[in-house]
Amino acid sequence: MLWSRNNRLSQRLKRRPLQLAHFSKASSSKPIVHIPKSSIYSLGAGSSTKPLFHGVSWTIQPDEAWVITATSSGGAKTQLLQALTGHLRIHPFPPPPGGLFPFLEGLDPYHHVDLVSFAHRPRGAGGAFYDYTARYGAVREEDKRTLRETFFPELAKPLHELALPDLLVRSERDAPQDAEHVKKQEAKSRLFEKLTDVLGLGEFLDLPMIALSNGQTRRARIVKALLEQPELLILDEPLTGLDIATRSHVLGLLQSLHAENSPHIILGMRPQDPIPDWTTHLALIRKDGTVHTGPKEAILDAEGDTLHSGWTAPPEVSHKPTKEASEAVVHLSGVNVAYGDRKVLKNIYWDIHRNSRWHLIGSNGAGKTTLLAMLTGEHPQSYTQSSQMKLFSRPRAKWPTPHLQARIGRVSPEMNNGFPRRRGMTVWDAVGTGFEGNFTPRGRFKVGFGEDGSPLEEGGEEERWRVRRMWEVIRALGPATWRGEGKSTAEAHEAEAFSQKAFVDLPGGEQSIVLLMRALVGRPPLVILDEAWAGMDEGMVEAAKLYLREDGLEDGQACIVVSHWEEEVPWGRTDGVRRFRLQEGFGNEE
Ligand SMILES: Nc1ncnc2c1ncn2[C@@H]1O[C@H](COP(=O)(O)OP(=O)(O)OP(=O)(O)O)[C@@H](O)[C@H]1O
């Protein structure tokens, strides 16, 4: 069923090329991007400061399809992409008349160059905790706006046909300029229909925005960016969080748009991501801040050692996989979740034993996040299903939700988005909230309170253990390990300095690894890693996978990994990983 739907989408894409070329304003043969030999600085940094990138010579011709990737950590790829959207200072700046974007021939880049990033949560997204659990309950009035109304307000259908917008009923003679506008709107509507059809979004357009799954929302962001009809569209990690079938639809769509140069596409990708066949050129950011640009094959030949051509398979672990215990931390016996007529989970049976390792899979919208929200007790329907849900040996309703949160360490896109970015919150503070699974650092060493809600005994065993554990996890996943370096005095100093950094100022990938530290710090009996590697560079991912395989989890802990990529699971099948698949609402072990 699933496959036949996906095949139908592929067929549609083949039958009906998108033919967007008539939107293009700039069919120039001039270079798309031209950076002569420049250094790139943060905005406001003087020329005497160290540039972020130096000696950048980069020219993109119209018939070239470029991928930007980095071997270094710290969000270098995203920064280089931001240099193209005016968020960094290029010096010397490409001279007129061509400037940075010669092909625009004088058009304002502000309106014609668009960057859509899927790598990180935008900066300045606020210091308050964003309550992502709102989507699981009855939809509140303020959250009722549909996908169509939120992303595409100008294309929202009038509620009643008599309420046609004024401009649709005026005659061309009365308002010729409006007629032009109507024509454009109609073309845009047609494009909207096609894009949403190709990306399988048609059936979700009139659902409340808040109800959409991650993958559905990301697809909508791509559609929105295309509807704005930029001349150049830069997509940073566009495949993040997309299931396998959707990935190929998105890549197919981008390829066909790029072939028509309407818009021209530049892709930012992690080095571990497969580079699409149809791309021709690579800009590889090296660790020293230089950028190697050129034809893909030449760069891969020259720099192949620093780049992986895909994810590495998990190496054999030296110790035997831990044997699953018979005690279940989660016991689901016929769990259902429905929103009105929409049945998302149907009669789910699942036992998760201590020491077990699970890979939870299912296409976008299959119900993975919903199922996990039942396990974490965030979903209100977890109360109504309490007798079908035993968590840590008790029915769900017998657990106060904060006690459940302290027993489940978790990273997820929702958590990443919702986690407060308060000024003054350090890496240490953020990690320390993991002991209680809340969002406010408390206690004299910021390692939380006891389960009864009172401060820990000063100098007591629990407090000492928590502080020790903080250092353990910050060192085990700290900056030196991203470079593959072992433990040393210098590394310990570096970890200490890292622990005092402001969480909000870290690049997205570093924020992700800090949230992973937070999930693991308390050694909770259940760890959920939902798209844990988003935004991380390869060094971080390798360090995190290694830690998880070795000391990151100890005897008694169970772990669920949610990912659309088999290679992202830190353990291989021989390590005893089991796979639970959600499909059409049903859940089965494979
Ligand atoms: N309040 C709601 N009303 C109606 N449908 C909803 C509501 N909340 C969620 N859904 C639907 O439930 C389905 C499952 O969503 P969920 O987020 O669990 O999917 P997922 O498997 O985690 O997807 P992804 O891989 O994209 O993250 C989606 O189709 C979503 O639109």
Side-chain angles (χ1 to χ4, degrees):
M1 183 74 180
L2 194 77
W3 279 108
S4 60
R5 190 181 135 245
N6 291 329
N7 284 340
R8 279 204 304 276
L9 288 174
S10 299
Q11 292 306 324
R12 271 184 238 154
L13 194 55
K14 280 184 197 137
R15 273 200 316 269
R16 292 193 269 153
L18 282 159
Q19 291 170 336
L20 308 180
H22 57 283
F23 284 114
S24 183
K25 293 165 207 78
S27 52
S28 161
S29 58
K30 295 190 174 143
I32 306 294
V33 169
H34 177 59
I35 300 180
K37 188 167 174 56
S38 306
S39 293
I40 298 177
Y41 300 84
S42 303
L43 275 187
S47 296
S48 56
T49 28
K50 196 169 169 272
L52 299 166
F53 308 101
H54 52 93
V56 182
S57 291
W58 188 14
T59 304
I60 298 184
Q61 299 295 348
D63 56 346
E64 297 168 354
W66 281 74
V67 169
I68 319 301
T69 192
T71 56
S72 58
S73 66
K77 162 180 59 63
T78 304
Q79 279 178 330
L80 186 60
L81 296 177
Q82 285 171 341
L84 299 180
T85 50
H87 290 87
L88 298 178
R89 187 166 63 82
I90 303 175
H91 180 80
F93 195 79
L100 182 57
F101 303 109
F103 84 119
L104 285 182
E105 298 183 336
L107 289 177
D108 179 4
Y110 182 77
H111 292 112
H112 298 282
V113 177
D114 204 357
L115 166 65
V116 183
S117 177
F118 298 87
H120 314 123
R121 171 176 140 131
R123 247 160 207 263
F129 169 65
Y130 165 70
D131 182 12
Y132 53 81
T133 64
R135 76 179 280 235
Y136 307 130
V139 177
R140 297 175 301 193
E141 208 47 48
E142 63 266 35
D143 293 326
K144 279 205 171 134
R145 281 168 16 118
T146 64
L147 169 63
R148 195 194 294 268
E149 289 159 353
T150 309
F151 274 82
F152 319 107
E154 74 278 25
L155 297 173
K157 290 200 175 94
L159 291 173
H160 191 281
E161 56 188 22
L162 291 178
L164 278 177
D166 202 22
L167 58 88
L168 288 180
V169 291
R170 274 193 240 159
S171 74
E172 279 190 11
R173 195 195 42 186
D174 292 342
Q177 71 279 32
D178 282 357
E180 184 59 29
H181 182 71
V182 170
K183 236 162 114 185
K184 274 194 185 154
Q185 279 300 99
E186 282 172 358
K188 200 167 178 183
S189 278
R190 281 197 300 276
L191 176 59
F192 172 73
E193 297 297 331
K194 277 185 188 171
L195 290 172
T196 48
D197 183 32
V198 167
L199 292 184
L201 280 174
E203 58 184 299
F204 306 112
L205 289 175
D206 297 308
L207 268 189
M209 182 65 201
I210 197 168
L212 295 182
S213 81
N214 279 306
Q216 292 160 352
T217 310
R218 284 175 181 152
R219 280 181 258 168
R221 286 182 59 201
I222 295 175
V223 174
K224 180 174 168 57
L226 289 170
L227 276 184
E228 278 160 19
Q229 298 168 24
E231 299 295 332
L232 170 61
L233 179 60
I234 306 163
L235 294 157
D236 191 11
E237 298 184 22
L239 306 185
T240 306
L242 298 186
D243 60 47
I244 295 170
T246 308
R247 252 179 267 160
S248 66
H249 296 312
V250 168
L251 281 178
L253 172 66
L254 297 178
Q255 180 181 10
S256 64
L257 295 173
H258 184 85
E260 298 180 37
N261 245 330
S262 176
H264 193 94
I265 306 271
I266 297 178
L267 297 176
M269 307 201 87
R270 300 174 305 174
Q272 62 267 40
D273 293 333
I275 300 173
D277 292 343
W278 52 272
T279 57
T280 57
H281 286 68
L282 260 183
L284 174 71
I285 304 163
R286 300 190 186 106
K287 288 198 168 91
D288 63 2
T290 54
V291 185
H292 192 173
T293 56
K296 185 167 72 176
E297 274 70 32
I299 305 273
L300 288 176
D301 281 349
E303 313 254 2
D305 296 347
T306 55
L307 264 185
H308 281 259
S309 53
W311 289 83
T312 45
E316 289 298 315
V317 275
S318 47
H319 56 275
K320 280 262 163 273
T322 335
K323 209 168 161 319
E324 270 190 34
S326 56
E327 186 190 347
V329 289
V330 171
H331 172 65
L332 305 184
S333 49
V335 165
N336 290 281
V337 171
Y339 302 99
D341 295 343
R342 217 178 150 82
K343 291 199 169 101
V344 176
L345 297 178
K346 301 173 190 160
N347 208 24
I348 304 288
Y349 280 76
W350 192 12
D351 279 345
I352 300 173
H353 295 117
R354 286 190 178 272
N355 297 335
S356 60
R357 306 282 178 264
W358 286 92
H359 182 193
L360 174 61
I361 48 177
S363 50
N364 293 137
K368 302 177 296 299
T369 311
T370 309
L371 179 59
L372 295 175
M374 294 292 279
L375 302 189
T376 56
E378 283 164 342
H379 204 297
Q381 294 187 38
S382 67
Y383 282 101
T384 53
Q385 310 263 319
S386 184
S387 53
Q388 287 94 283
M389 290 186 58
K390 258 202 190 146
L391 304 174
F392 312 104
S393 311
R394 289 192 216 160
R396 191 271 172 259
K398 299 272 182 210
W399 283 108
T401 305
H403 289 194
L404 273 183
Q405 283 167 351
R407 282 171 173 72
I408 302 175
R410 181 169 48 132
V411 290
S412 69
E414 293 78 19
M415 170 70 69
N416 202 315
N417 283 336
F419 196 80
R421 266 72 172 172
R422 285 186 208 111
R423 289 258 143 233
M425 187 191 260
T426 62
V427 166
W428 177 278
D429 297 342
V431 176
T433 61
F435 290 104
E436 294 188 80
N438 63 10
F439 304 99
T440 314
R442 29 185 221 169
R444 65 175 188 142
F445 292 124
K446 308 282 177 61
V447 291
F449 283 3
E451 190 164 68
D452 60 359
S454 55
L456 299 175
E457 183 198 340
E458 291 193 8
E461 201 180 318
E462 177 67 17
E463 190 187 67
R464 279 186 289 124
W465 177 78
R466 288 194 189 183
V467 171
R468 234 185 9 257
R469 180 74 191 129
M470 287 286 287
W471 284 122
E472 217 170 81
V473 81
I474 292 173
R475 286 188 67 176
L477 292 172
T481 65
W482 313 338
R483 301 190 298 269
E485 289 169 16
K487 297 208 184 328
S488 67
T489 321
E491 171 271 318
H493 286 312
E494 193 177 5
E496 200 176 325
F498 182 66
S499 74
Q500 292 312 311
K501 284 194 169 175
F503 178 73
V504 65
D505 291 337
L506 298 179
E510 295 185 18
Q511 292 189 1
S512 298
I513 206 159
V514 170
L515 293 179
L516 176 63
M517 295 176 190
R518 175 184 179 273
L520 298 173
V521 73
R523 296 244 182 247
L526 178 61
V527 172
I528 297 173
L529 305 177
D530 182 357
E531 286 185 27
W533 321 125
M536 289 189 200
D537 67 30
E538 194 174 20
M540 293 173 179
V541 175
E542 286 310 314
K545 281 161 84 179
L546 186 69
Y547 180 56
L548 284 162
R549 281 196 301 269
E550 292 182 343
D551 314 310
L553 297 174
E554 66 176 12
D555 203 25
Q557 291 184 274
C559 183
I560 306 170
V561 178
V562 186
S563 171
H564 297 291
W565 308 74
E566 187 82 40
E567 300 80 2
E568 289 193 346
V569 184
W571 306 274
R573 283 285 197 154
T574 52
D575 303 321
V577 173
R578 296 164 75 179
R579 196 191 274 163
F580 195 78
R581 180 184 290 278
L582 287 176
Q583 191 168 356
E584 320 245 313
F586 297 104
N588 287 300
E589 181 173 358
E590 286 192 333

